[in-house]
Amino acid sequence: MTDELEARTGLAMSDFRFYSVSHSIEPNAHSLGGHSIGLTGAFITLCEGDELTEDQVLAAITHEVGHHAGGALRFSAVLTWLALPYWTTAFLVREAVEWKPWLRLALPAALAAAGVVLLLHGSTLVRVAVILAVVALIAVPVLAGAWSQREEFSADEYAVDHDCGPGLRSYLRQFEHLDVAAHEVGDTAG
């Protein structure tokens, strides 16, 4: 399969490292830094069980190669590190709400009250910090989501441009949770 990938992309697959990422039960592949591609255990199982066609596997991996070929992973890594405090906080809040459902209302109310008190009675530096925190709270998920979506479409386009459109479309349509992405690729994969 690496010969076919090299023929389609013009890139040496020996420059890439493939890893098994067993923590996910969803069949998927992920672009990682350093020309690495992670394949979930479920993806590998489907490949070994011949539940994915060769075209589907080629398309999924070509899509991941597209992330590397575009050079966007460097910026994505920086964005991930900048967003890490937000995602960590969001995870902790989600866990706290699961633990104590009444926190769903109490936590935002307490944070809003603390923000108002700090804005009214804090120093200029504290006020600026509160305003920046609120802007970041709104901007980080929007910017990260927009960038991620842009990069996914770019990698889809790369796969389509390298003769993997039909395989990518059928791969995406095979999984219900990816229906929206399959519809989008279907428009360009023709």
Side-chain angles (χ1 to χ4, degrees):
M1 187 162 293
T2 56
D3 291 341
E4 182 66 25
L5 283 165
E6 288 180 354
R8 288 185 188 216
T9 64
L11 300 173
M13 288 300 113
S14 60
D15 292 342
F16 289 84
R17 303 291 175 261
F18 293 88
Y19 296 95
S20 173
V21 183
S22 59
H23 68 275
S24 176
I25 60 169
E26 291 187 31
N28 208 345
H30 306 280
S31 294
L32 310 168
H35 280 92
S36 298
I37 296 175
L39 307 172
T40 66
F43 182 88
I44 294 168
T45 299
L46 290 176
C47 291
E48 291 171 345
D50 292 330
E51 295 177 59
L52 293 175
T53 67
E54 186 173 320
D55 283 346
Q56 290 173 321
V57 174
L58 282 169
I61 294 175
T62 301
H63 167 94
E64 298 310 323
V65 169
H67 286 295
H68 292 283
L73 286 179
R74 290 183 194 99
F75 183 74
S76 293
V78 170
L79 186 61
T80 299
W81 279 104
L82 292 174
L84 190 61
Y86 171 83
W87 298 120
T88 302
T89 303
F91 170 78
L92 293 173
V93 167
R94 247 189 336 271
E95 291 298 312
V97 168
E98 295 256 340
W99 179 56
K100 297 287 186 186
W102 57 268
L103 286 173
R104 190 178 315 260
L105 295 174
L107 197 55
L111 288 173
V116 168
V117 168
L118 290 172
L119 283 173
L120 294 175
H121 302 292
S123 68
T124 302
L125 183 61
V126 169
R127 288 177 183 158
V128 169
V130 168
I131 291 169
L132 288 175
V134 170
V135 168
L137 186 65
I138 295 166
V140 165
V142 171
L143 292 174
W147 178 260
S148 176
Q149 193 65 44
R150 178 185 171 278
E151 287 309 307
E152 287 305 314
F153 287 148
S154 178
D156 287 345
E157 196 173 294
Y158 182 87
V160 169
D161 290 347
H162 290 85
D163 300 325
C164 292
L168 184 60
R169 183 176 349 125
S170 69
Y171 172 79
L172 294 174
R173 285 197 173 150
Q174 187 167 347
F175 304 102
E176 185 177 324
H177 65 279
L178 297 174
D179 267 347
V180 173
H183 175 71
E184 296 292 334
V185 171
D187 294 340
T188 60

